[in-house]
Amino acid sequence: MTNIAHSYDVASSNNAPSLGRCGGFVAEHPQDAFHLPARRTSVPEARRRVTALLQEWGADQHVRDDVELVMSELFTNALRHTASEKVGCELTLFGAHVRIAVTDEGGGGISAPQVQPGSVDKECGRGLFLVGALSENWGTRPDPGGGRVVWADLPYAATDD
């Protein structure tokens, strides 16, 4: 597993294709963030947004597919296991990795997310197994607002265009 530091240099997704020229400085790590209502109908919207953003950044199709699946799993877990009214999503491109971070507002009283034993064979509970299989590293941290951030780092590759 890799141990990758998280950067907070921000560039809007509109500037990301040019590697983040933003307000007179060049952001080292293109980044975009958005919030959506904590509803099932927001899951496909989150997938669409991250796929479009990664396409702008030049990610190849395999990367877009993997990030879309991981985002979907993390967003769905935030809906199912917390009492959030909104869910935050953040993507950061750095080096050969893309970090997905999903922030909930807490509530629900559950412990930190973890892969459930035997989750591969169950209809529910496979999400974090998939996150672990597709990412090089993933984890959780408390959010200063009282919720939790669940993040995953996936390999990034650009298209050969």
Side-chain angles (χ1 to χ4, degrees):
M1 285 194 206
T2 61
N3 186 8
I4 300 168
H6 185 68
S7 172
Y8 291 97
D9 294 330
V10 178
S12 82
S13 61
N14 296 332
N15 299 323
S18 64
L19 287 182
R21 188 129 194 79
C22 183
F25 74 94
V26 175
E28 267 183 70
H29 308 287
Q31 181 177 33
D32 196 51
F34 56 91
H35 288 87
L36 294 171
R39 296 190 299 248
R40 286 185 311 202
T41 56
S42 295
V43 177
E45 177 62 22
R47 285 194 308 256
R48 277 191 295 278
R49 286 187 183 203
V50 299
T51 299
L53 181 62
L54 287 170
Q55 192 165 9
E56 284 181 32
W57 289 353
D60 71 21
Q61 185 65 49
H62 179 75
V63 171
R64 294 192 310 259
D65 291 345
D66 287 352
V67 171
E68 180 181 329
L69 177 57
V70 170
M71 174 61 76
S72 180
E73 295 298 337
L74 297 181
F75 197 104
T76 300
N77 281 350
L79 295 178
R80 286 188 178 166
H81 302 292
T82 71
S84 300
E85 291 185 22
K86 66 181 178 176
V87 176
C89 304
E90 182 179 313
L91 256 67
T92 306
L93 178 61
F94 55 105
H97 295 87
V98 59
R99 174 166 285 182
I100 305 160
V102 173
T103 305
D104 62 54
E105 295 177 314
I110 62 164
S111 60
Q114 52 190 318
V115 176
Q116 299 299 314
S119 61
V120 175
D121 299 326
K122 296 179 183 176
E123 188 167 323
C124 265
R126 288 186 287 219
L128 291 178
F129 177 81
L130 292 171
V131 170
L134 294 173
S135 63
E136 289 190 2
N137 201 4
W138 73 275
T140 66
R141 67 178 184 272
D143 181 62
R148 177 179 298 127
V149 178
V150 183
W151 56 269
D153 293 333
L154 283 78
Y156 176 85
T159 57
D160 294 329
D161 296 342

